[in-house]
Amino acid sequence: GAGVSQSPRYKVAKRGQDVALRCDPISGHVSLFWYQQALGQGPEFLTYFQNEAQLDKSGLPSDRFFAERPEGSVSTLKIQRTQQEDSAVYLCASSLRRDTPDTQYFGPGTRLTVL
Amino acid sequence: KQEVTQIPAALSVPEGENLVLNCSFTDSAIYNLQWFRQDPGKGLTSLLLIQSSQREQTSGRLNASLDKSSGRSTLYIAASQPGDSATYLCAVFGTLRYKLTFGKGITLSVRP
């Protein structure tokens, strides 16, 4: 079956622009996660959804970052007024069950470059 | 705060060698531990997930062990091949059972 997909794969934004990154999780997966991976670093947790409910957004770096999953499937990570320090790969992951240490399946990521 | 360390950051070995990749974590109160592989420009591929009650898990040429009390995990790769060249990351599930904390990864190069 299809894995986690993300679009766009690459995004170049001028500083101050708003961007929207999309994630399509594996069908039927209850849990969805966003991570940020800076160059040479491991992924860092941003936020967690259980169906449409955002249960943890403690990793979002600032109030410029906003994520939603309105119908419990597709999710969008929005970054307003992008800054150079936002340049990173944004990874989306999903897992089958809720609130349990299940295998997380990752998408290919969106590489964001802010000029 | 949980911290995950992977040393060294990079490793180069000749083809055919058996090798061990190390991972350590500061808080032993973990649930599960997951090893991933990341190829350049690509996402993460899950290799193995070890339940907190398990000591090891095997898949093909890969074997991962977990010692919670000492805060350590190892990924053993048997008979390494050039196709194994990638970055290997370990990540732990802590008290927030949905949240993975990652190490920085070990970049492995297997020379033909």
Side-chain angles (χ1 to χ4, degrees):
Chain A
V4 178
S5 61
Q6 294 185 245
S7 62
R9 292 293 313 279
Y10 303 91
K11 177 69 179 178
V12 178
K14 292 183 179 178
R15 190 173 56 182
Q17 282 185 328
D18 298 348
V19 298
L21 312 180
R22 177 188 170 106
C23 172
D24 285 81
I26 294 173
S27 178
H29 278 199
V30 170
S31 297
L32 184 144
F33 312 85
W34 284 98
Y35 292 85
Q36 180 190 59
Q37 186 174 25
L39 190 64
Q41 304 294 313
E44 297 261 353
F45 172 85
L46 293 178
T47 187
Y48 162 55
F49 288 87
Q50 189 179 107
N51 295 309
E52 70 279 2
Q54 187 176 22
L55 299 187
D56 188 338
K57 55 181 181 180
S58 63
L60 296 177
S62 75
D63 58 8
R64 297 185 295 104
F65 286 71
F66 172 76
E68 61 182 5
R69 193 185 185 198
E71 298 178 356
S73 55
V74 171
S75 177
T76 303
L77 176 66
K78 298 179 180 178
I79 309 173
Q80 297 177 325
R81 304 181 303 282
T82 52
Q83 304 293 315
Q84 285 188 322
E85 60 263 29
D86 299 336
S87 296
V89 175
Y90 291 86
L91 295 166
C92 176
S94 68
S95 66
L96 181 61
R97 295 178 292 178
R98 64 182 70 187
D99 196 28
T100 188
D102 241 354
T103 298
Q104 294 189 12
Y105 298 91
F106 281 76
T110 295
R111 181 176 297 277
L112 173 65
T113 303
V114 181
L115 303 177
Chain B
K1 179 186 173 186
Q2 177 74 268
E3 293 186 4
V4 180
T5 302
Q6 293 183 258
I7 296 174
L11 187 62
S12 180
V13 301
E15 181 177 4
E17 190 162 301
N18 300 325
L19 57 103
V20 172
L21 306 181
N22 294 306
C23 171
S24 62
F25 44 94
T26 54
D27 186 351
S28 62
I30 67 165
Y31 282 90
N32 299 340
L33 182 145
Q34 196 167 355
W35 280 93
F36 293 89
R37 168 184 172 140
Q38 186 170 34
D39 293 280
K42 297 189 178 180
L44 281 68
T45 301
S46 178
L47 298 173
L48 291 164
L49 182 141
I50 309 177
Q51 308 281 350
S52 59
S53 57
Q54 294 178 314
R55 298 281 296 184
E56 63 179 67
Q57 187 73 259
T58 298
S59 176
R61 293 183 296 108
L62 306 178
N63 176 278
S65 67
L66 174 62
D67 184 341
K68 281 181 59 176
S69 61
S70 67
R72 299 178 67 162
S73 176
T74 61
L75 179 67
Y76 174 82
I77 303 176
S80 58
Q81 303 170 358
D84 295 330
S85 298
T87 297
Y88 291 82
L89 298 106
C90 76
V92 299
F93 291 93
T95 51
L96 294 176
R97 290 177 291 173
Y98 53 81
K99 185 175 178 178
L100 279 171
T101 301
F102 282 84
K104 293 184 179 181
I106 298 173
T107 299
L108 173 66
S109 174
V110 181
R111 307 186 301 272

